[in-house]
Amino acid sequence: MRQFLVTRLALHAANLVVIAFLLLPLAAATIGALQSAKSLQASTRSVLPPEWTLDNFRVILSGGAQKGAIFEQATYLPDNVKKIRYALTNSAIIATTVTLLTLAFGSLSAYTVARLRRRWVMWLMNLSVFARFVPVIVVMIPLYVTFRQLGLLNSVWGVIIALTGFLLPYGVVILAPYFATVPRELEEAARIDGCSRFAAFLRVTLPLSTPALASYGAIVFIVAWNDLLIPLILNNRAEFMTLPVVIASLVSDLFVFHNLMMAICLIALAPSVILVLLLRRFVVEGLSAGAMKG
């Protein structure tokens, strides 16, 4: 009994350490976003700032129109901050569209792999998994040249197509084992009732696979929302940048806007946190089922 109590306390202590490791950067970003750059650099020993302000969020959300007290004397403000609304809109459009496209095409491809037990299908699936081990940076030059010839540079659709192509194979890997666990008898019963194979897939297989679809959709949305490399390579105009690109642009040779970076990071983190909170039940069920059935 005593050994069990010690083990339980050790597990709780380990959980607290992991939670603190994950939350400490968020706490530091929150404290930094709620103070001025002068206050942030004044003392490196004090944990809490001497003054609090919302001017960082005010200047970001207003696009530089309302600078507040800490920016009214500033002689320089990055142009990308003034166009932050474009970045918010672009990130939302890209993440949402990529999620919907990967869910649609990924579920169809995964269903084909799960139902057609052909050797060449499994071979292509394994080859696709092996291709995921290649770093994305390796294909950036061919991707840039190809998209330049297609006229997809400095456009939202270019980023959407690239991200969909990179994230789609993960959908096949994640969803195919889950679709394989759905009994064929349910689809055959639906077909006897008059449904076509595609209608049985829509009305039977997809509703039963909601946890897996929610898990995969949440993962894709978070990856597409936070991706930096592809939007940075394909788009160099401010009106087509995303939030990660704007955050990276705040680091220059002359200035580093730490407080603005932290404020934008908190704004960029909000949609992912809200999505996970809304889908947490489906995400936990999908990941648990995938771990047991995959």
Side-chain angles (χ1 to χ4, degrees), residues 27-81:
T30 304
I31 294 174
L34 294 175
Q35 58 181 308
S36 63
K38 181 180 179 180
S39 176
L40 183 64
Q41 300 172 4
S43 177
T44 58
R45 296 182 179 180
S46 59
V47 178
L48 298 178
E51 58 179 357
W52 302 87
T53 179
L54 294 175
D55 287 347
N56 295 314
F57 295 96
R58 186 176 294 110
V59 70
I60 291 171
L61 297 178
S62 66
Q66 300 178 8
K67 295 185 177 181
I70 65 175
F71 287 98
E72 61 183 5
Q73 301 297 331
T75 58
Y76 173 74
L77 189 66
D79 292 335
N80 293 336
V81 174

Side-chain angles (χ1 to χ4, degrees), residues 71-279:
F71 287 98
E72 61 183 5
Q73 301 297 331
T75 58
Y76 173 74
L77 189 66
D79 292 335
N80 293 336
V81 174
K82 300 177 182 179
K83 298 182 179 180
I84 193 68
R85 295 180 182 178
Y86 291 104
L88 285 169
T89 304
N90 293 335
S91 294
I93 293 175
I94 290 172
T96 303
T97 307
V98 170
T99 303
L100 295 177
L101 290 177
T102 51
L103 281 174
F105 293 113
S107 59
L108 292 174
S109 301
Y111 180 77
T112 303
V113 172
R115 289 294 182 257
L116 295 180
R117 288 292 181 177
R118 299 289 189 269
R119 181 176 299 179
W120 63 272
V121 175
M122 302 305 298
W123 183 83
L124 287 177
M125 180 177 176
N126 294 331
L127 181 63
S128 176
V129 174
F130 176 77
R132 296 303 95 196
F133 290 97
V134 178
V136 180
I137 191 65
V138 175
V139 298
M140 280 299 101
I141 295 179
L143 182 69
Y144 180 85
V145 174
T146 302
F147 277 43
R148 183 181 61 183
Q149 294 177 349
L150 296 175
L152 292 175
L153 296 181
N154 290 317
S155 68
V156 174
W157 279 107
V159 179
I160 291 174
I161 294 173
L163 284 174
T164 302
F166 282 114
L167 296 176
L168 188 58
Y170 294 108
V172 180
V173 175
I174 295 174
L175 298 177
Y178 200 96
F179 286 157
T181 62
V182 177
R184 292 175 178 264
E185 291 77 8
L186 297 177
E187 298 176 2
E188 294 174 357
R191 298 190 66 183
I192 292 175
D193 291 337
C195 291
S196 62
R197 179 179 291 274
F198 184 70
F201 168 72
L202 292 179
R203 297 182 180 182
V204 177
T205 306
L206 286 184
L208 294 176
S209 305
T210 301
L213 294 173
S215 302
Y216 175 58
I219 293 172
V220 169
F221 183 89
I222 293 173
V223 172
W225 179 270
N226 296 310
D227 186 75
L228 169 64
L229 185 59
I230 293 178
L232 181 64
I233 296 297
L234 298 182
N235 298 337
N236 56 13
R237 295 171 59 181
E239 55 267 28
F240 296 109
M241 290 183 178
T242 58
L243 281 177
V245 179
V246 172
I247 295 173
S249 67
L250 295 179
V251 180
S252 63
D253 296 335
L254 301 177
F255 299 96
V256 179
F257 297 88
H258 295 97
N259 50 340
L260 289 179
M261 290 176 60
M262 295 178 184
I264 297 177
C265 286
L266 292 180
I267 295 174
L269 185 63
S272 300
V273 174
I274 294 173
L275 180 65
V276 172
L277 290 177
L278 293 176
L279 301 178

